[in-house]
Amino acid sequence: AWPPAADPAGAPDQRILRTPLKVAAGYAVRGDAATAERRFDAARAYYDRWEAEWEGSPTAQLALELKGESFAQQGRFAEAVATLELFDARYGSDANRASLWLRLAEIYATGHGMNSKAAEYYTKVEIGYPNDTSGATASVALAVLDIDAGRHAQGRARLERTLSQFKDQRTVSATAMHYLAVSYEREGNWETAATRYNALAQEHPSTLYGMEAPLRVARHYRAAGEEEAAEAAFERAVQQYERICSEAESTPAELAARSYLVEARLDQRRWADAAKTLVETAERFADSDAAPGMLLQAADLYTTKLGDAAKAAEVLGKVLDDYPETPAAREAESRLAAL
């Protein structure tokens, strides 16, 4: 049970309403499926109670929305859709329908594989919110559905329109540029695709798609057997990531750039550089959820690629010291015993 924090009027604090779902999701992430299922069921009973007791209120609205999200997180997509469409009927408004329809479209596409139904919701957002970023998001999603279906010209036309209208919206612009490049690559027009990827990396270097772009170029050359071009492309990628680390120090962008830097060094088989970057990143972002895993990955490189058992033991000891009583610590203890 999760006793709500009541406001003066007696309704639960809406921030507290999210707690049951977070608790259930936490058990799911840890792999405790049985406890997670019980917690999800208890969360829905909790939301049902508050929706019934505060019918028509913001509390009831959020409770029903979170109930739908609980089904989605469990992969119970039919129930998630039914609940969220009920939410739309009861509480849908111009203030919340764009995000709601985008979520429904996402569930139809990824959960049910019903792209035609997803397209209906994306189209409603595109038409209903043409000047909002939600409309741009819907347009990009529709373009991706076209590209996945092989309708490249149609998809690219929609992406170009979105780029023109939302060129100052960094995330929208980067996403549209990424899928333009992907479309050309899938069509076999690599020269144009490479140009598009390089433009994306230059114009939006610190976005996730901007960081991914130079690696896609390098990996394409390697897969094509063009080792000299691949190595040059990998080095350009490394330079971009190092520049972002310097310019965006101590930010999420630095953490992301360091992760891509590790990928580049691994692709180059520069094991020592990759291991060093992993340890440095874990130290710089010690509070990140990714830090223990980075240390374990570094230890694995020292063991399997570099043959340095002493260094591996040092890194594993750091996991034990810095993250005691965690799954990562148990893994580190097991590996130390093996060493």
Side-chain angles (χ1 to χ4, degrees):
W2 298 273
D7 69 18
D13 185 323
Q14 290 192 30
R15 293 168 297 179
I16 303 301
L17 278 174
R18 299 182 184 276
T19 301
L21 185 56
K22 290 180 179 179
V23 171
Y27 281 107
V29 168
R30 288 194 290 271
D32 188 345
T35 303
E37 184 170 2
R38 288 196 302 272
R39 290 287 188 168
F40 277 120
D41 287 342
R44 283 189 285 271
Y46 175 78
Y47 296 141
D48 284 342
R49 176 164 64 89
W50 285 109
E51 201 220 343
E53 292 186 10
W54 290 86
E55 186 176 357
S57 72
T59 294
Q61 178 176 322
L62 181 58
L64 186 58
E65 182 180 6
L66 292 174
K67 179 181 178 181
E69 190 58 36
S70 74
F71 283 126
Q73 290 190 19
Q74 279 190 289
R76 295 167 61 172
F77 298 116
E79 292 155 297
V81 164
T83 303
L84 292 176
E85 288 183 337
L86 176 61
F87 174 93
D88 189 13
R90 288 183 180 174
Y91 304 111
S93 68
D94 285 341
N96 61 29
R97 277 207 168 104
S99 60
L100 174 63
W101 289 346
L102 287 174
R103 183 66 175 125
L104 280 164
E106 179 186 14
I107 294 172
Y108 271 117
T110 61
H112 284 308
M114 296 173 61
N115 288 347
S116 60
K117 189 66 177 178
E120 289 180 20
Y121 274 109
Y122 284 134
T123 301
K124 288 167 73 172
V125 178
E126 184 184 49
I127 293 172
Y129 303 86
N131 300 314
D132 189 79
T133 53
S134 59
T137 299
S139 295
V140 171
L142 285 166
V144 172
L145 291 178
D146 284 334
I147 291 167
D148 288 344
R151 300 186 295 270
H152 292 282
Q154 184 174 329
R156 288 198 296 263
R158 186 176 248 117
L159 289 171
E160 293 287 10
R161 289 195 301 271
T162 304
L163 266 177
S164 176
Q165 184 177 355
F166 294 91
K167 60 184 177 181
D168 296 330
Q169 298 286 333
R170 188 179 69 153
T171 301
V172 172
S173 179
T175 305
M177 292 179 73
H178 168 79
Y179 283 108
L180 278 167
V182 167
S183 176
Y184 284 114
E185 182 177 6
R186 289 186 185 176
E187 270 196 320
N189 188 346
W190 173 246
E191 187 173 332
T192 302
T195 299
R196 292 284 188 163
Y197 282 130
N198 289 331
L200 169 56
Q202 291 171 6
E203 292 183 32
H204 302 290
S206 61
T207 64
L208 290 180
Y209 282 130
M211 292 186 211
E212 181 186 338
L215 270 188
R216 290 183 73 111
V217 172
R219 287 166 176 169
H220 174 91
Y221 287 131
R222 171 160 289 171
E226 301 178 40
E227 282 300 323
E228 187 174 340
E231 189 57 30
F234 277 122
E235 283 305 314
R236 286 194 298 273
V238 166
Q239 290 169 12
Q240 175 174 326
Y241 304 144
E242 290 177 339
R243 185 168 58 252
I244 294 169
C245 290
S246 175
E247 295 174 353
E249 195 171 342
S250 301
T251 68
E254 183 195 354
L255 178 57
R258 283 179 167 275
S259 298
Y260 278 105
L261 177 57
V262 169
E263 285 194 45
R265 289 313 195 192
L266 290 174
D267 282 353
Q268 290 178 294
R269 300 176 181 85
R270 293 178 59 165
W271 315 122
D273 287 334
K276 179 183 176 183
T277 302
L278 283 164
V279 173
E280 288 176 348
T281 305
E283 290 173 347
R284 285 187 57 76
F285 295 90
D287 294 333
S288 165
D289 291 340
M294 289 183 173
L295 292 173
L296 291 175
Q297 186 179 4
D300 184 62
L301 289 172
Y302 282 120
T303 303
T304 61
K305 301 297 185 183
L306 298 167
D308 190 340
K311 187 65 176 177
E314 177 187 330
V315 174
L316 292 171
K318 185 172 179 60
V319 177
L320 288 173
D321 291 341
D322 295 350
Y323 307 98
E325 300 181 7
T326 64
R330 291 191 288 274
E331 176 66 19
E333 191 172 23
S334 174
R335 292 192 193 180
L336 274 170
L339 285 176

